[in-house]
Amino acid sequence: MPKRSGALTVLYAATLFASASLLFWVQPMLAKMLLPLLGGTPAVWNTCMLFFQAMLLAGYAYALVLSKWLTLRQQVAVHALLLVVTALTFPILISEATVRSVPREGNPSLWLLWSLLTTVGLPFFAVSTNSPLLQKWFAETRQESSRDPYFLYAASNAGSLLALLSYPLIVEPRLTLGAQSRLWSLGYALLLVLLAACAFTLLRRQSKQVETEPHPASLDVTEPTADETRLETDAKVSDAEATGGAVKGEVEANDKVEVEAETLSWRRRLRWVALAFVPSSLMLGVTTYFSTDIASLPLLWVVPLSLYLMTLVFAFARRQIFKPHTTARVLPGVALVFALVYLSGATQPVWLLIFSHLFFFVVAAMACHALLAADRPAVRHLAEFYLLMSVGGVLGGLFNALVAPTLFNTTLEYPLVIVLACLLLPRPAADAGQLDTPRERWLDVGVPAGVALLTLIIALAVNRFVFDWVQGLALVVGVPLIVSYLFRRRPVRFALALGAVMLGSGFHADLNRRTLLAERNFFGTLRVTEDVGDDQQQHWLYHGTTIHGRQSLALDRHCEPLSYYHREGPLGQVFKSFDAQPANGNVAIVGLGTGATAAYTRAGQNWTFYEINPAVVRIARDPAYFTYLTYCANAPVAVALGDARLQLHNAPPAHYGLIVLDAFSSDAIPLHLMTVEALDLYLSKLAAGGLLVFHISNRSLDLHPVVADLAHARNLRALGFDDTARNQPGGKEPSQWVVLARRPDDLQTLAADTRWQPLEGRPGRPVWSDDFSNIVSIFKWR
């Protein structure tokens, strides 16, 4: 009998492992299919995550309804029907109708959610139901390990983790999207076989139990025996001993309620939702940071999600490595250090920033998930517990993907959830038994108010007397954070004090620059600032932390292109070469920014800007911010709104004499614009003798080898100019540019300048395509 029980446990664990692997394999696969349709913007992944979390919630609700209202045989029949109907919808691919329906204006979030629903909604829903339903079925087998089946949740998350990590490292580099979809369908067929085996063993065991003793039809109305109840209670109290007196007392009290009345308090349910909300929101916050400041691609999407799943695996494992009281004690200190890094606004070194964001996220997620695992209910409430966890996850995704971009013009949700993570911490065991007096509760609010006032006073003093920004930040943020740490044993007081520091630090502003506009939409955050010092005044445009251009306000210089587009820089030389011997007068610019390149227009030319973000178009056309398009253009200038690859299809063949790709200066590069398929499109629109120009300035990625390999793949000539000198006069920023042409003669003028160096691709190196990219190989680790 023990051998059979062990085999049954392995069968259920393997089935859950396979189901979770499919569930989390399809997520990056489908997101990558849809990413090019929306310009590679980071919000695509966050919106996809919201959809997947909502489908998980629907799956858990389905499992709860089946287990509550149907007999086991009825559950098996209904679930089998769902799985068979789902198989008829394969393979998973993006239809031509979906591609044609991409909106050109407005927020595409609803379109994206609808596209996800019609493309993968039923398969994802069907697979998502397996985890809670199989754990319910396993509990019905009544073998010894079925009394506490939560360890199967760890097996499920292990499968999810393996699928996520294998996708960017193994699947994505080796298989096309079509091949990935077909392989996923084969995996689904294997899952059906495993599920059939689970159902067969379940019904067989039920038949034997019916022969020997009466057995209720539904698991939720099953009355536990006294021994089972005692085993559940003892196991939970044992798990809770490490959480400290507060959590242990709560667990014992909750167990007593369950034994006597078998009910769950709404306060306990809401705490489950909140503890699930925080890691979900933080995960998307970290992902947004990576996607905005590095690149929007599956490899960087799956890292936070993989760590999220890893914390669930550790939290729900039979043997806990990270005890709840340990992570709860460590989190305040980690939060303070991370707050200092976050509030500094630092952009370098990249590896240190990545580590700090991920380290805080792991500690916070581990703390929340460990508290959830320690407070898990009896088996009869298993489906509801998972449902409420899923509700918290969906609310986190909804908050980050839809609510926050509407309410906030910056990524304010990130620091807010950092504060909430600290707020949910339990009080230390030594303080748990102490009753809060009115004075203590008043101090929980009064002390943070005092910290906010302290931060404000220091900020005002620093702005007046300290002219070094770094030293001023250390005083404004560092001193109040040290004071806040003194209250770490009082979670409410500590969390509010931390939030007060974040709020008060906003008064430490650069006196030489003020913000004219802050705006946020699906495509990111934009900010327009103005210099107000003694130097020549300028307007600056930022996307996140990346400069997207600037313009002088002086009348004699307002039509001078500055920053990366300076006339004395590489782009100035490109236009001199083009104007001297143009293939034709049509020019395409992918990426609008401030519209600075419009200053290079000449009479007789026709220019078209391709821009996906309507907010950028509105800012560039508003004379209150920038006037390049309004007053500096010497030729007709049109703006095509939408993704450049989709919009360029509308241009006639060989229409442009010059195509400038200026979409890569942001650290979040749209990878689909620098694949071999994209290059073929550009060449089809480029006239004979025309030039194709790539702006590849980037803090985090070295794009030289990518462009060189593309040129080699299509037998093109490539020259690169790295203008790296800093602090140059006249408003010139360091920049890197690469020019491609079909013939050496087309580059003759540029080649005469030794600063333009040939780029050679490697014959054996894979060329980036819509199905392949290797971001690790070009990452600047220093």
Side-chain angles (χ1 to χ4, degrees):
M1 187 67 179
K3 290 184 178 180
R4 290 185 179 179
S5 298
L8 189 64
T9 301
V10 171
L11 172 62
Y12 274 82
T15 306
L16 283 167
F17 185 91
S19 178
S21 297
L22 289 175
L23 196 65
F24 281 82
W25 174 5
V26 76
Q27 294 183 29
M29 180 181 77
L30 191 67
K32 186 175 181 180
M33 291 179 180
L34 290 167
L35 186 65
L37 302 181
L38 293 172
T41 180
V44 171
W45 178 246
N46 279 5
T47 308
C48 287
M49 282 301 303
L50 170 61
F51 171 80
F52 295 138
Q53 289 170 327
M55 285 293 100
L56 280 174
L57 175 61
Y60 289 159
Y62 164 93
L64 179 62
V65 170
L66 256 63
S67 61
K68 188 175 184 65
W69 297 105
L70 301 181
T71 66
L72 284 176
R73 290 186 179 277
Q74 290 171 338
Q75 292 174 36
V76 170
V78 172
H79 198 54
L81 178 62
L82 171 65
L83 295 172
V84 171
V85 171
T86 299
L88 300 178
T89 65
F90 295 157
I92 299 172
L93 294 172
I94 303 298
S95 67
E96 286 297 324
T98 300
V99 174
R100 290 193 298 269
S101 65
V102 178
R104 295 186 181 182
E105 297 185 22
N107 190 329
S109 296
L110 294 179
W111 173 88
L112 180 56
L113 291 172
W114 174 253
S115 299
L116 288 165
L117 181 64
T118 56
T119 303
V120 76
L122 187 57
F124 193 89
F125 169 76
V127 178
S128 70
T129 63
N130 292 325
S131 179
L133 195 60
L134 282 175
Q135 290 182 62
K136 284 288 235 178
W137 289 359
F138 183 72
E140 274 287 349
T141 62
R142 293 195 170 186
Q143 60 173 311
E144 184 177 353
S145 58
S146 69
R147 294 192 180 103
D148 186 14
Y150 287 96
F151 72 92
L152 290 175
Y153 190 56
S156 174
N157 283 305
S160 305
L161 182 60
L162 178 64
L164 282 174
L165 293 178
S166 64
Y167 184 82
L169 299 177
I170 300 175
V171 177
E172 184 186 20
R174 291 170 173 81
L175 298 175
T176 65
L177 288 172
Q180 292 175 33
S181 179
R182 291 189 293 272
L183 187 59
W184 194 93
S185 299
L186 292 176
Y188 185 84
L190 174 62
L191 176 63
L192 291 183
V193 174
L194 292 173
L195 285 168
C198 290
F200 175 77
T201 56
L202 173 68
L203 295 178
R204 184 178 179 183
R205 281 177 172 265
Q206 188 201 31
S207 299
K208 291 182 178 180
Q209 291 170 2
V210 170
E211 293 175 0
T212 57
E213 59 177 328
H215 184 62
S218 174
L219 179 62
D220 279 80
V221 297
T222 299
E223 294 292 337
T225 65
D227 289 340
E228 288 174 337
T229 300
R230 184 167 57 255
L231 283 171
E232 289 177 2
T233 302
D234 291 345
K236 289 184 62 189
V237 173
S238 176
D239 287 341
E241 284 178 353
T243 68
V247 176
K248 179 179 177 182
E250 183 180 356
V251 170
E252 290 174 340
N254 285 328
D255 281 326
K256 183 177 180 181
V257 169
E258 287 183 11
V259 172
E260 295 177 356
E262 297 183 357
T263 59
L264 297 175
S265 67
W266 281 107
R267 181 177 181 179
R268 189 178 179 194
R269 289 185 174 101
L270 289 176
R271 182 169 175 80
W272 290 345
V273 172
L275 287 172
F277 171 91
V278 168
S280 173
S281 180
L282 283 177
M283 175 187 66
L284 295 180
V286 173
T287 303
T288 299
Y289 165 75
F290 284 169
S291 299
T292 301
D293 285 347
I294 300 177
S296 185
L297 75 167
L299 176 62
L300 297 179
W301 298 336
V302 302
V303 170
L305 183 54
S306 298
L307 293 174
Y308 173 88
L309 293 171
M310 183 189 70
T311 61
L312 284 171
V313 171
F314 284 126
F316 284 88
R318 282 179 168 176
R319 179 179 298 178
Q320 288 193 347
I321 300 176
F322 301 101
K323 304 296 183 182
H325 77 282
T326 302
T327 52
R329 189 167 60 240
V330 170
L331 181 58
V334 175
L336 290 185
V337 175
F338 177 68
L340 181 61
V341 174
Y342 180 79
L343 295 174
S344 70
T347 58
Q348 297 289 339
V350 174
W351 68 267
L352 181 59
L353 295 174
I354 290 176
F355 174 80
S356 63
H357 281 264
L358 289 179
F359 185 71
F360 170 78
F361 167 65
V362 168
V363 174
M366 191 69 241
C368 292
H369 287 153
L371 291 171
L372 268 173
D375 194 30
R376 62 188 184 274
V379 174
R380 57 188 172 278
H381 297 298
L382 179 147
E384 183 181 3
F385 176 67
Y386 286 144
L387 180 67
L388 291 174
M389 283 183 60
S390 183
V391 168
V394 170
L395 291 177
L398 185 67
F399 179 62
N400 281 61
L402 298 181
V403 176
T406 303
L407 294 180
F408 311 133
N409 56 18
T410 61
T411 53
L412 186 59
E413 67 273 14
Y414 199 11
L416 282 178
V417 179
I418 292 172
V419 172
L420 181 59
C422 298
L423 191 65
L424 292 174
L425 291 176
R427 293 176 61 180
D431 302 334
Q434 300 177 6
L435 295 177
D436 282 346
T437 63
R439 178 178 178 274
E440 291 295 329
R441 287 193 293 268
W442 184 89
L443 288 175
D444 283 341
V445 178
V447 169
V451 172
L453 181 61
L454 173 65
T455 307
L456 175 60
I457 292 173
I458 296 177
L460 294 176
V462 165
N463 285 343
R464 183 170 183 178
F465 300 110
V466 180
F467 299 100
D468 183 87
W469 192 87
V470 176
Q471 293 179 2
L473 179 71
L475 290 172
V476 173
V477 177
V479 172
L481 285 178
I482 293 174
V483 173
S484 300
Y485 188 67
L486 301 176
F487 315 123
R488 63 190 180 279
R489 300 180 70 87
R490 302 277 306 186
V492 174
R493 194 175 304 175
F494 172 77
L496 294 181
L498 179 60
V501 175
M502 293 180 172
L503 181 64
S505 63
F507 291 94
H508 175 52
D510 188 344
L511 294 181
N512 295 321
R513 189 169 298 172
R514 65 187 179 96
T515 299
L516 301 178
L517 174 72
E519 185 172 343
R520 183 180 182 184
N521 61 12
F522 183 84
F523 301 98
T525 58
L526 296 170
R527 186 163 50 95
V528 179
T529 65
E530 180 183 42
D531 293 335
V532 293
D534 296 332
D535 296 336
Q536 222 171 36
Q537 291 185 334
Q538 295 180 354
H539 282 182
W540 301 67
L541 175 63
Y542 290 87
H543 179 217
T545 59
T546 304
I547 299 174
H548 269 224
R550 52 175 164 153
Q551 183 178 22
S552 173
L553 299 184
L555 292 178
D556 60 336
R557 297 198 64 210
H558 76 282
C559 283
E560 284 296 315
L562 304 179
S563 189
Y564 319 115
Y565 316 105
H566 202 279
R567 294 188 188 276
E568 300 301 321
L571 185 64
Q573 289 192 320
V574 169
F575 275 104
K576 285 180 182 178
S577 175
F578 172 72
D579 291 337
Q581 192 176 1
N584 64 42
N586 298 321
V587 177
I589 310 290
V590 177
L592 176 60
T594 62
T597 51
Y600 287 102
T601 55
R602 286 194 173 191
Q605 296 179 342
N606 288 281
W607 282 46
T608 303
F609 284 93
Y610 292 89
E611 174 59 51
I612 194 171
N613 192 341
V616 171
V617 177
R618 187 169 60 255
I619 291 171
R621 284 176 167 169
D622 191 337
Y625 304 125
F626 300 99
T627 60
Y628 285 121
L629 294 182
T630 308
Y631 301 127
C632 302
N634 299 308
V637 173
V639 177
L641 188 61
D643 178 69
R645 270 186 68 170
L646 296 178
Q647 296 302 316
L648 272 170
H649 279 288
N650 300 326
H655 180 66
Y656 292 113
L658 175 67
I659 299 178
V660 179
L661 295 154
D662 185 29
F664 312 115
S665 57
S666 172
D667 286 344
I669 61 173
L671 297 182
H672 71 291
L673 293 183
M674 56 188 326
T675 64
V676 68
E677 293 87 353
L679 179 61
D680 290 338
L681 173 64
Y682 306 147
L683 293 176
S684 71
K685 308 301 179 181
L686 190 66
L691 301 179
L692 181 59
V693 183
F694 287 81
H695 182 195
I696 61 171
S697 304
N698 196 280
R699 288 193 303 248
S700 306
L701 305 174
D702 179 12
L703 299 174
H704 292 84
V706 178
V707 180
D709 290 342
L710 289 173
H712 182 269
R714 293 298 180 262
N715 195 29
L716 303 175
R717 302 296 179 266
L719 292 178
F721 183 177
D722 293 350
D723 184 13
T724 58
R726 297 187 177 276
N727 300 320
Q728 301 181 62
K732 185 156 74 83
E733 297 279 351
S735 61
Q736 298 173 316
W737 297 80
V738 176
V739 181
L740 306 185
R742 295 185 178 95
R743 302 177 307 160
D745 291 346
D746 298 331
L747 298 175
Q748 186 175 4
T749 303
L750 295 177
D753 189 330
T754 57
R755 292 176 296 181
W756 288 95
Q757 293 295 314
L759 295 183
E760 302 292 340
R762 294 190 203 168
R765 190 164 50 196
V767 181
W768 282 22
S769 67
D770 290 345
D771 292 324
F772 169 80
S773 58
N774 186 358
I775 204 75
V776 175
S777 65
I778 63 169
F779 195 82
K780 298 177 183 177
W781 295 103
R782 294 184 179 180

